Amino acid sequence: MSVDDRFSEQETPSERPLGTRSEIITGPVSDWATDFSHTEPEWAADPYAIQDDLRGRCPIAHTERFGGGWLPTRYEDVAAIAYDTDNFSSRSIVMSNFRAARELAPVGSIPPISSDPPFHHHARKLLLPAFTKSAVAKREAATRAFCHSLIDLLEGQEVVDAARDYAQHIPMRVIADMLGFPPEDGPKFARFIESALEGINLPADERVERMGQVFAYLLEQIRDHVENPRDDLTTYLINAELGGARLDPSHVSGTIALLLIAGIDTTWSAIGASLWHLARTPADRERLVAEPELVPTAMEEFLRAYAPVTMARLVKQDMRWRGVDMKAEDWILLSFPAANRDPAQFDRADEVVIDREVNRHAAFGLGIHRCVGSHLARMELRVALEVWLERVPAFSLADPDAVTWATGQVRGPRTLPLRIG
């Protein structure tokens, strides 16, 4: 079978020359209400104190960085924007110094998360069969076996890095299996994730080069699947149709990029944050070891309290919205972590209550872009915690100051040294 003509030319849909760039501004934040930045180390270390302060004195903060943007911190405001596709566009979902061209709407660079209605509905519908509860359940046994194999490799070590040596590997393997990509390419996936989500203040040329490497890799994998079809998600997307036509090549590569980058970092961050909490909270750890049936409930609370994902939107037109004057093309940093800590929405919002019964958190987003892979992420998180607690019932932080957190819109531990026993 010859290579599909759609993929004969190398195209890198991310960071196309279309769009606008803004001045890169870095350095200490002067006032989080008027100069916020999600790329500074204080935000990575503890965004919750910042968001709680803003919620009380300036619930919709502003910044001139990234070309101008807004940060709502109340649940009701975050939800309202997430559901409002008339006034807010999803064509760029990473708040950076680059805004994708308006002409990319309603598809965007990485559909369906970058898509606006009405295209979004059809692009999302394409992915649903791969992420149903029944489809995800078929992957649980392999995921559990892989978690055990990772812990086997830690045998005999007094201190392990639970982020680098455990949490990060699990979603990389699951997504690689789903896409039919070589599992040994995991280190490449990690570099792609860092470039896309943490490298947003890099010089434009360097960012373009890095994202070009991502899509060059994806094109290589797609061409291999065209020549050697198999039963996986990549082959499915190559053959999928919308409106009676095969998908545009940028749609195929963009969706795979979304699954590879967002589907990995979000889950490994949730696993790592959960283990971090248990390492510093012996009472919760001991209870879950004694009551493993409580893990699914505790898991939802970890998702609420340590929600890893913040999304971005772009304002479609000048308007006054809930007391602030938003301009067309202003960013909105849609903080689901802030929404999940709003005391107006959750009782004891600043506490981690592992047996919380009513927990309608927003960790997987709100509105039309609610995470299509939530069943998969929940399975991976639950299995990762169950296996770890079964195999490593006693652990603590080896050095609290040595824990590092990712900057940007997906927050989770990048290094997590734990003392075993």
Side-chain angles (χ1 to χ4, degrees), residues 120-313:
H120 166 269
H121 170 78
H122 305 290
R124 179 184 172 89
K125 190 175 180 180
L126 275 179
L127 292 177
L128 292 178
F131 294 97
T132 62
K133 283 186 177 180
S134 58
V136 167
K138 296 175 182 177
R139 300 188 178 276
E140 180 168 335
T143 303
R144 190 175 297 275
F146 182 61
C147 289
H148 277 289
S149 71
L150 290 172
I151 293 180
D152 288 342
L153 297 174
L154 306 179
E155 199 71 38
Q157 299 182 46
E158 292 184 5
V159 175
V160 303
D161 188 332
R164 183 195 62 202
D165 299 330
Y166 186 67
Q168 295 180 9
H169 292 278
I170 298 164
M172 284 197 292
R173 173 60 66 89
V174 172
I175 293 295
D177 287 347
M178 291 186 72
L179 292 172
F181 287 6
E184 62 271 17
D185 284 353
K188 291 183 180 179
F189 305 160
R191 291 197 299 274
F192 296 161
I193 289 165
E194 182 180 0
S195 296
L197 299 173
E198 297 187 60
I200 61 176
N201 277 331
L202 291 171
D205 290 347
E206 184 176 349
R207 184 156 172 78
V208 169
E209 180 183 354
R210 287 192 181 199
M211 295 311 296
Q213 293 171 3
V214 174
F215 283 94
Y217 172 83
L218 296 182
L219 182 60
E220 176 187 343
Q221 296 300 321
I222 289 168
R223 286 173 170 168
D224 180 62
H225 277 73
V226 171
E227 294 180 333
N228 306 286
R230 47 262 208 196
D231 184 16
D232 56 34
L233 194 48
T234 299
T235 298
Y236 167 77
L237 288 168
I238 290 168
N239 295 326
E241 295 185 357
L242 277 182
R246 294 280 183 93
L247 302 182
D248 187 88
S250 64
H251 186 160
V252 176
S253 60
T255 296
I256 294 173
L258 167 64
L259 297 171
L260 190 67
I261 295 171
I264 290 174
D265 193 16
T266 55
T267 306
W268 93 32
S269 295
I271 296 169
S274 301
L275 292 175
W276 172 80
H277 172 85
L278 293 172
R280 67 196 293 266
T281 317
D284 287 350
R285 172 180 56 78
E286 291 166 3
R287 185 174 178 190
L288 291 185
V289 170
E291 303 175 48
E293 68 278 5
L294 188 59
V295 167
T297 301
M299 173 186 81
E300 297 298 329
E301 179 67 345
F302 298 149
L303 286 168
R304 182 197 69 83
Y306 307 114
V309 181
T310 295
M311 282 287 106
R313 300 285 187 268

Side-chain angles (χ1 to χ4, degrees), residues 37 45 52:
S37 172
D52 289 346

Side-chain angles (χ1 to χ4, degrees), residues 337-360:
N340 280 346
R341 296 270 184 143
D342 187 347
Q345 185 70 20
F346 296 94
D347 182 45
R348 301 163 65 189
D350 60 343
E351 299 179 38
V352 178
V353 184
I354 62 171
D355 58 0
R356 188 185 295 268
E357 294 183 1
V358 178
N359 197 350
R360 301 187 65 180

